[in-house]
Amino acid sequence: MSQQTLSEVKEYYGKVLKGTKDLQTNACCSTESIPDSHKKALAQIDTEILDKYYGCGSPIPPALEGATVLDLGCGTGRDVYLASKLVGENGHVIGLDMTDEQLDVARKHQDSQAKAFGFSKSNVTFTKGYIEDLKAAGIEDNSVDLVISNCVINLSPDKDKVYQEIFRVLKPGGEMYISDVFSDRRIPESLRQDPVLYGECLSGALYVEDFRRTLVACGIADFRVTSQRPITIENPEIEDKIGHIDFSSINVRAFKLGLEDVCEDYGQIARYKGTIQDNPSYFDLDDHHRFESKKPVLVCGNTADMLSKSRYAKHFEVTGDKSTHYGFFDCSDTEHETSSDCGEGSSCC
Ligand SMILES: C[S@@+](CC[C@H](N)C(=O)[O-])C[C@H]1O[C@@H](n2cnc3c(N)ncnc32)[C@H](O)[C@@H]1O
């Protein structure tokens, strides 16, 4: 692990940036629309926390009641506190970050945020540590329902280790749900050495196909993109430096399940019960699987497992098993897909 990179990133988030307005590009800047329940919770979060928000997406999935959530690179705690409200008093949220200045702000508001949410005591723990070594931070194997991270993993000098750690600490069937910056090619070393480009969440970005390879190496053969947007930078000096590289902010979910590397048809049917809070009409598993409430949908084996072997299981009826194989699952069949952008021979991601 490059200590120099970690020190430079710590310096950037601890000393150089004082707030969201100091960012030099719009890479670490979320423009996503957010659900009403999130808006209500955010309205109860202290402005000091919100003014130092450097996220690039919204890595907060639904159905969080009672869950144990780990936020990697929590910063001043905006997503930790949002998740705190959504998991409720019986859930627990752990925020982990390596930068004291960020954690100091996060910790300062712990009691007042619990009070604002109407909790008798805080359900949040902030831990100083490195996302590459969650064991050293005391996070046990198979102990977490959901790992979230907002615009952080691109900053890590050892991303393989980060993803290995995520899938070590997740419980079987647990979910990784992250927003991060990815690139359309591998970034040249000269740009990776630029502390501002790196700190601004650009030149540490993982090439999307290397991200896929990294997850495969962790035993994750199928992941799902829930949303993505191009990063427009809007800083001529930085645009000149990065040339033709395209960056995107991508929201990804992946489950700790032994899934297949392509979609296969076992004749399984999934029916969403309409029971997830804030999602009475439909549930979006990803950017091309929308489950309308009460409507039976033919799904591939991987989708069936995601819906029946995760915390979403109580919200779905999944019928059928894998005893009979009917061949490759054609995602382009709009009869059971909301769009047809799945590649032939690939999984549904
Ligand atoms: C772009 S900010 C995002 C902060 C927060 N997620 C948010 O949305 O406001 C990146 C954060 O990740 C932390 N970070 C970066 N690399 C890290 C690492 N290797 N281990 C722990 N924390 C790290 C930084 O200290 C910083 O607080």
Side-chain angles (χ1 to χ4, degrees):
M1 189 154 73
S2 160
Q3 291 304 327
Q4 192 193 333
T5 306
L6 291 172
S7 302
E8 284 173 1
V9 172
K10 253 187 221 174
E11 173 79 11
Y12 204 69
Y13 286 95
K15 307 263 191 296
V16 177
L17 298 182
K18 299 286 176 232
T20 316
K21 60 180 174 15
D22 297 330
L23 291 166
Q24 295 189 38
T25 72
N26 63 4
C28 287
C29 186
S30 170
T31 55
E32 277 181 50
S33 62
I34 48 172
D36 278 353
S37 65
H38 294 201
K39 281 186 195 149
K40 280 185 198 147
L42 287 169
Q44 295 179 299
I45 295 177
D46 196 278
T47 48
E48 187 183 16
I49 296 167
L50 300 177
D51 286 348
K52 291 172 186 287
Y53 169 61
Y54 304 123
C56 57
S58 186
I60 311 283
L64 289 184
E65 184 73 30
T68 298
V69 179
L70 170 64
D71 183 4
L72 299 182
C74 62
T76 55
R78 184 252 205 197
D79 291 331
V80 169
Y81 287 119
L82 178 51
S84 157
K85 171 81 178 184
L86 298 168
V87 300
E89 265 195 293
N90 296 325
H92 184 210
V93 188
I94 306 158
L96 180 132
D97 205 288
M98 65 178 182
T99 306
D100 285 319
E101 289 84 348
Q102 298 275 78
L103 287 172
D104 288 347
V105 174
R107 287 187 174 123
K108 188 172 134 190
H109 296 279
Q110 211 168 323
D111 291 339
S112 54
Q113 283 303 147
K115 213 169 152 201
F117 294 151
F119 298 164
S120 58
K121 61 177 176 27
S122 177
N123 61 354
V124 158
T125 310
F126 288 105
T127 306
K128 185 173 175 180
Y130 294 98
I131 59 176
E132 297 82 0
D133 191 0
L134 302 178
K135 196 157 228 148
I139 320 272
E140 303 290 337
D141 297 2
N142 306 315
S143 61
V144 172
D145 296 298
L146 170 70
V147 173
I148 60 172
S149 188
N150 199 345
C151 213
V152 176
I153 303 175
N154 70 85
L155 295 167
S156 171
D158 190 349
K159 297 170 179 55
D160 289 352
K161 197 76 194 32
V162 177
Y163 287 109
Q164 285 161 16
E165 282 290 83
I166 290 174
F167 291 103
R168 176 183 69 76
V169 303
L170 277 176
K171 295 175 187 174
E175 181 179 18
M176 174 187 86
Y177 195 93
I178 60 164
S179 301
D180 208 353
V181 177
F182 294 90
S183 56
D184 70 340
R185 64 199 71 186
R186 294 180 184 134
I187 312 284
E189 192 53 36
S190 57
L191 297 185
R192 292 173 58 81
Q193 295 302 329
D194 184 316
V196 173
L197 286 190
Y198 202 93
E200 289 280 327
C201 298
L202 289 173
S203 63
L206 196 52
Y207 164 47
V208 282
E209 291 301 329
D210 286 341
F211 169 69
R212 181 184 58 74
R213 292 181 180 103
T214 302
L215 287 205
V216 167
C218 293
I220 307 301
D222 185 358
F223 62 90
R224 305 297 174 92
V225 170
T226 60
S227 63
Q228 56 184 309
R229 69 172 169 95
I231 289 171
T232 51
I233 313 224
E234 287 161 30
N235 176 325
E237 209 179 306
I238 291 183
E239 281 167 12
D240 278 353
K241 280 189 189 171
I242 60 163
H244 292 293
I245 304 168
D246 283 333
F247 295 92
S248 301
S249 169
I250 306 185
N251 246 61
V252 177
R253 73 166 17 122
F255 295 89
K256 185 170 170 178
L257 291 167
L259 302 177
E260 297 185 90
D261 60 351
V262 292
C263 296
E264 300 291 351
D265 188 357
Y266 299 96
Q268 291 171 288
I269 305 281
R271 188 172 161 274
Y272 174 46
K273 296 179 189 171
T275 48
I276 296 178
Q277 196 196 5
D278 295 330
N279 292 256
S281 316
Y282 63 85
F283 170 80
D284 285 338
L285 178 66
D286 55 46
D287 58 7
H288 59 286
H289 282 89
R290 171 163 291 182
F291 292 90
E292 280 178 46
S293 195
K294 310 281 174 14
K295 182 182 175 188
V297 180
L298 181 63
V299 291
C300 73
N302 284 353
T303 295
D305 282 359
M306 290 179 190
L307 300 176
S308 64
K309 296 181 177 175
S310 69
R311 69 177 196 291
Y312 298 107
K314 60 176 181 283
H315 302 288
F316 278 85
E317 277 165 24
V318 177
T319 50
D321 57 30
K322 297 204 171 54
S323 55
T324 307
H325 181 222
Y326 299 99
F328 174 70
F329 188 94
D330 183 1
C331 286
S332 64
D333 182 350
T334 51
E335 190 60 26
H336 48 78
E337 297 295 335
T338 54
S339 76
S340 57
D341 53 355
C342 282
E344 181 93 3
S346 67
S347 59
C348 277
C349 56

